[in-house]
Amino acid sequence: MDRLKSKIRDIPDFPKPGIIFKDITPLVKDPAALRLAVHQLLFPFLGRDITAVAGMEARGFIFGSLVAWELGLPFIPLRKPGKLPYDVQSVEYDLEYGSATLEAHIDAVNANDRVLVIDDLLATGGTAKASCELIEKLGGTVEACAFVVELDFLEGREKLKNYEVHSLLHY
């Protein structure tokens, strides 16, 4: 994991003073590191009865779609409002300052789907929990959640205590 950790760049005071942003751009720029991250994300789930992979906009699309491709499974994009052209189901959730919404097409998940939820980062857990709620609202079951980076000090895992959580890097 040191190889992956060396590809995460710290950006101080972004998006506001006091925050150290974990930038994955160097990781996705390096094909070997990206391949390693994708394989490490999916490895614990090999042989499991997963039928789809979901990723939330925007960086979850990068890792989620690659994991889905590697597993030969459908990818479910969880989008910001107004981005999907068909009938949608949505979940609103609270952020540190305000609220946000995630949407998915109403037919994105089948009733028997067992979904692996993927994102680049687990911070406070709000987006990940909303993603799980949206999958369940659409009739699927969340098999687990997987992240490239987890910011342990923000205790986002606590919001996901009803789900299996797999993270590659911990800060």
Side-chain angles (χ1 to χ4, degrees):
M1 291 303 131
D2 288 340
R3 182 170 170 205
L4 293 181
K5 206 167 221 180
S6 73
K7 297 293 180 178
I8 304 295
R9 177 172 43 202
D10 286 348
I11 308 290
D13 299 319
F14 183 84
K16 62 182 188 175
I19 302 289
I20 297 176
F21 184 83
K22 297 297 184 188
D23 181 17
I24 62 159
T25 307
L27 189 151
V28 299
K29 184 179 176 185
D30 180 333
L34 180 57
R35 185 177 301 111
L36 176 61
V38 169
H39 288 154
Q40 291 299 312
L41 281 170
L42 67 84
F43 183 76
F45 309 106
L46 291 175
R48 301 260 293 261
D49 187 23
I50 295 170
T51 61
V53 176
M56 52 287 267
E57 192 168 344
R59 294 177 304 269
F61 287 7
I62 297 167
F63 296 99
S65 61
L66 289 170
V67 167
W69 182 75
E70 283 286 334
L71 293 173
L73 296 174
F75 177 70
I76 302 164
L78 306 177
R79 304 290 316 262
K80 295 174 183 172
K83 302 288 186 177
L84 293 170
Y86 188 61
D87 293 336
V88 298
Q89 189 65 260
S90 64
V91 171
E92 189 170 313
Y93 60 102
D94 292 327
L95 296 170
E96 188 175 351
Y97 300 103
S99 64
T101 303
L102 283 176
E103 296 181 340
H105 283 146
I106 60 170
D107 59 357
V109 177
N110 297 318
N112 295 324
D113 274 340
R114 300 186 60 77
V115 180
L116 175 59
V117 176
I118 303 276
D119 203 2
D120 69 318
L121 181 104
L122 174 60
T124 63
T127 304
K129 186 169 190 288
S131 298
C132 294
E133 290 172 359
L134 183 54
I135 296 297
E136 291 166 346
K137 192 173 183 179
L138 290 164
T141 300
V142 175
E143 179 72 17
C145 300
F147 306 92
V148 177
V149 172
E150 182 173 347
L151 303 178
D152 297 331
F153 63 95
L154 292 176
E155 300 178 349
R157 188 177 284 251
E158 183 60 28
K159 284 189 181 159
L160 301 174
K161 62 185 171 193
N162 295 326
Y163 306 99
E164 179 182 347
V165 175
H166 170 61
S167 299
L168 304 183
L169 304 173
H170 294 267
Y171 293 92

